[in-house]
């Protein structure tokens, strides 16, 4: 008997769906991209239960004819290309004709659609690739597509979905990637009957503000500098954050020819441009839009991949880095313009529309850029100026051999008198040699252990703030906050939802300084979101680490003998103390043997 046969279509579609539609966010991306391809100027996204039960996209695009509406759900059905050559002159987001076929293979789809020229539209119901109902219907011009019960027939996939908060964050992230490139198109995003985002048509900057401004006017975009450069190879425009406005929770986005992309190499170009201007763990925000000839990039890789290959990456690296440097430089000289020489100067920085800071108007005086400008030098502690570059914060490196050779102290810790060196190290004589301890990291280790324990035992003690502080959040941050709320309370934060887009903080853990409640919660939130974790233990560790960092004694702080002794005792009684929880070296031992060899 012959055993080779073709797979039935619905089976083939379900297999293909696994590649294109991995989670509600990938489904949302495909639907919204289709609406944009259809020329919509208004797109509404309606979601229930983070997309598990409903993902609906309503657009006012060109709609489909009755036949097209049926065809659209077949595999490789597309109106966008017909021959391979078309791939190189694409003006649409989709082209594979796989999305709708994949979506309807793993969900229950209901669609109504009508073109301008048709009197009536069509309504279709498709259930796991099978057409179950079809009839003409009265509806608005455009397409209204509901995806219900995603993965209802693929239990494995359904099971692998994360918590609603995580899936909602994924949806919003995907949504940001799209709406940031289409500021002219009006979007709304509704989750469980709540409007999370209402984005009117506007400029790129207004769109950025509407998403990240957290309800305050120009709170976010006033910290951005314009950037623009045009070369034969590539045009780059966008915004980067002012060095002193950069922070620990940067928003970083690259787009190429209207698509979001990840590009670690270009990311490095931007960091290089800022190098020396930002303290260790600060990073700039950026929104960079590349325009490049389609032949010079390859987007035709896996449909869900956001990495894009450029033909000339090294050249673009240089162009980008120079452009960012120039923007920062131009911005930083603004305060040093000499207004005493009035009359010689025209209005130095033109603000006429379209005439951005990056493009001096004619007649502007020549201005010297101060290459040593560093907004943070003012606030730097007595520590060596560039300590953060002398001791770059690297991710956990493989443990070097001497980690293992550190002495272990069980209960009694026989040590000599500690001595503080260079306001950042503690030198501690021990039986095995001289331990050199990084004071800040040592303190992180001991506070981390203590905090983690409090968190697990829910024993955090709270101190009241005099005034409630309001933390404004973006929708994806709101979702993350909901996840970690019980743990924040367990560690001693008194924190409650204040409005649809904010939380009120009225108490902080007793051991924390009262002054930076907002920064602390924001840092925690960011750290948890970056880890993208769904595992409570992991985010508890993040919370403990963020808090430990903010209470740890800083470099440059002069310690008393008692403080040093106490810190050393607590450190050495930890089960391991060679590394911080995020892998940075805490101590090094100059062993007696080594000393004898040298002297
Ligand atoms: P692709 O976008 O790669 O062509 P899809 O499976 O996403 O493939 O869509 C198939 C076809 O259905 C599209 O080429 C388009 O003609 C039509 N279509 C899908 N969504 C819409 C929409 N919202 N409005 C108008 N036409 C649509
Ligand atoms: Mg498509």
């Amino acid at each position: 008997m012959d055993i080779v046969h073709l797979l039935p279509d619905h089976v083939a579609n379900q297999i293909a769906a696994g590649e294109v539609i991995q989670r509600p966010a990938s489904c949302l991306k495909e639907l919204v991209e289709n609406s944009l391809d259809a020329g919509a100027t208004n797109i509404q996204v309606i979601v229930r239960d983070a997309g598990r039960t409903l993902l609906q996209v309503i657009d006012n695009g060109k709609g489909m004819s009755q036949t097209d509406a049926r065809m659209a759900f077949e595999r490789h059905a597309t109106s966008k290309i017909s021959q391979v050559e078309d791939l190189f002159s694409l003006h649409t987001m989709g082209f594979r004709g796989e999305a709708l076929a994949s979506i309807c293979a793993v969900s229950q789809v209901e669609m109504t659609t009508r073109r301008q020229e048709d009197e009536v539209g069509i309504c279709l119901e498709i259930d796991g690739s099978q057409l179950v109902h079809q009839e003409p219907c009265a509806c608005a011009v455009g397409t209204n597509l509901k995806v219900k019960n995603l993965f209802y027939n693929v239990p494995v996939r359904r099971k692998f979905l994360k918590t609603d908060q995580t899936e909602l964050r994924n949806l919003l992230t995907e949504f940001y990637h799209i709406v940031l490139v289409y500021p002219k198109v009006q979007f709304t995003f509704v989750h469980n009957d709540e409007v999370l985002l209402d984005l009117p048509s506007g400029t790129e900057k207004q769109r950025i503000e509407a998403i990240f401004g957290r309800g305050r006017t120009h709170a976010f975009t006033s910290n951005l500098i314009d950037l623009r450069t045009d070369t034969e190879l590539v045009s780059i425009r966008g915004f980067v954050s002012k060095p002193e406005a950069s922070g620990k929770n940067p928003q970083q986005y690259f787009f190429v020819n209207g698509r979001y992309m990840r590009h670690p190499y270009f990311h490095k170009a931007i960091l290089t441009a800022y190098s020396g201007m930002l303290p260790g763990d600060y990073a700039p925000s950026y929104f960079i839009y590349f325009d490049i000839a389609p032949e010079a990039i390859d987007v035709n890789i896996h449909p869900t991949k956001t990495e894009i290959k450029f033909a000339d990456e090294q050249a673009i690296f240089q162009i980008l880095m120079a452009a960012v440097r120039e923007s920062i430089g131009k911005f930083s000289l603004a305060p040093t313009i000499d207004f005493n020489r009035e009359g010689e100067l025209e209005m130095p920085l033109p603000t006429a529309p379209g005439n951005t800071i990056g493009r001096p108007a004619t007649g502007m005086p020549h201005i010297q850029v101060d290459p040593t400008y560093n907004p943070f030098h003012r606030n730097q502690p007595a520590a060596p100026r560039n300590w953060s570059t002398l001791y770059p914060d690297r991710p956990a490196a493989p443990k070097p051999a001497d980690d293992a050779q550190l002495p272990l102290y069980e209960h009694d810790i026989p040590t000599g008198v500690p001595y503080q060196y260079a306001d950042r190290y503690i030198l501690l004589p021990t039986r095995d040699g001289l331990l050199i301890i990084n004071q800040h990291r040592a303190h992180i280790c001991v506070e981390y252990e203590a905090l983690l324990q409090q968190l697990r035992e829910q024993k955090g003690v709270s101190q009241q703030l005099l005034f409630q502080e309001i933390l404004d959040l973006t929708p994806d941050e709101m979702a993350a906050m909901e996840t970690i709320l019980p743990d924040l309370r367990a560690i001693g934060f008194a924190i409650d939802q204040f409005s649809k887009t904010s939380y009120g903080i009225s108490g902080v853990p007793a051991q924390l300084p009262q002054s930076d409640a907002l920064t602390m919660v924001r840092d925690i939130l960011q750290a948890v979101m970056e880890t993208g974790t769904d595992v409570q233990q992991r985010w508890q560790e993040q919370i403990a680490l963020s808090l430990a960092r903010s209470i740890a004694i800083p470099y440059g702080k002069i310690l008393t003998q008692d403080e040093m002794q106490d810190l050393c005792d607590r450190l050495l009684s930890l089960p391991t103390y060679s590394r911080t929880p995020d892998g940075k070296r805490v101590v090094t031992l100059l062993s007696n043997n080594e000393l004898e060899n040298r002297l």
Side-chain angles (χ1 to χ4, degrees), residues 24-37 43 45 57 93 170-187 189 199 204 207 211-212 253-255 258-261 289 306:
S26 32
C27 184
L28 176 76
K29 169 177 186 283
E30 295 295 339
L31 296 181
V32 175
E33 287 186 351
N34 278 348
S35 297
L36 289 164
D37 284 346
I43 298 175
V45 174
V57 175
M93 313 274 285
N170 290 330
L171 283 168
L172 285 162
T173 307
E174 202 67 62
F175 191 66
Y176 295 168
H177 293 168
I178 302 175
V179 300
L180 282 169
V181 216
Y182 290 88
K184 295 271 175 294
V185 177
Q186 207 179 337
F187 289 94
F189 188 109
L199 307 172
E204 272 153 1
R207 178 61 45 98
I211 300 173
F212 302 108
Y253 297 90
F254 282 128
F255 305 96
R259 259 169 213 275
Y260 170 79
M261 70 164 177
Y289 300 81
T306 48

Side-chain angles (χ1 to χ4, degrees), residues 118-129:
D118 296 332
E119 295 262 296
V120 288
I122 177 170
C123 170
L124 291 181
E125 269 176 53
I126 297 169
D127 196 334
S129 294

Side-chain angles (χ1 to χ4, degrees), residues 165-166 169 474-485 525 528-529:
Q165 284 88 358
T166 304
R169 257 161 50 209
T474 58
D476 58 326
E477 291 167 343
M478 288 295 286
M481 183 60 116
E482 219 172 294
T483 317
I484 60 170
L485 202 54
L525 202 54
V528 170
M529 287 171 73

